[in-house]
Amino acid sequence: QVQLVESGGGLVQPGGSLRLSCTVSGSIFSIDTMAWYRQAPGKERELVATISTGGSRTYEDSVKGRFTISKDNAKNTAFLQMSSLKPEDTAVYYCNALVSIYGGGYSNYWGQGTQVTVSS
């Protein structure tokens, strides 16, 4: 099977930075788009950033210029560098990946989530 493991969350002061990591492991044939989502208390899960196989990136408007998504294909790992953090960035951050196993079609996989809290 496929597992996504996130790390890097924590408590940070407003204006600070954090770097999240997400490593995909298991019976991987190939990985397509990877993405980061977040869900704040009482709110729906929202898409934060995506990165395609070719490296194209998209960002939710409120994080543009502050967050950067990247990946290391050799390590099946995606990153989310978050800077100039604001209290409204507080949420559980989830990694998502489209993964093909054994050369079949792509399926959607999720990590367990990592808490990011921005507070003074």
Side-chain angles (χ1 to χ4, degrees):
Q1 270 296 352
V2 175
Q3 299 83 38
L4 275 65
V5 178
E6 299 126 333
S7 62
L11 173 64
V12 63
Q13 292 186 344
S17 299
L18 281 176
R19 188 192 195 208
L20 306 182
S21 299
C22 170
T23 298
V24 185
S25 64
S27 304
I28 303 165
F29 179 77
S30 65
I31 301 173
D32 197 271
T33 300
M34 295 188 71
W36 288 95
Y37 288 73
R38 66 185 179 186
Q39 187 167 19
K43 296 187 177 181
E44 294 186 352
R45 190 173 297 189
E46 66 173 356
L47 179 62
V48 175
T50 69
I51 185 165
S52 71
T53 303
S56 297
R57 298 168 172 85
T58 66
Y59 297 96
E60 193 269 329
D61 284 345
S62 70
V63 308
K64 286 180 180 177
R66 301 188 299 121
F67 290 11
T68 301
I69 189 170
S70 62
K71 63 178 180 175
D72 183 335
N73 290 327
K75 296 181 179 180
N76 293 331
T77 298
F79 305 95
L80 186 68
Q81 177 67 48
M82 304 184 293
S83 303
S84 302
L85 283 160
K86 305 175 181 180
E88 50 264 43
D89 294 318
T90 295
V92 177
Y93 283 71
Y94 296 92
C95 179
N96 174 272
L98 291 175
V99 181
S100 171
I101 59 175
Y102 306 120
Y106 287 91
S107 297
N108 209 21
Y109 292 90
W110 291 91
Q112 80 286 356
T114 185
Q115 176 70 46
V116 172
T117 302
V118 185
S119 175
S120 54

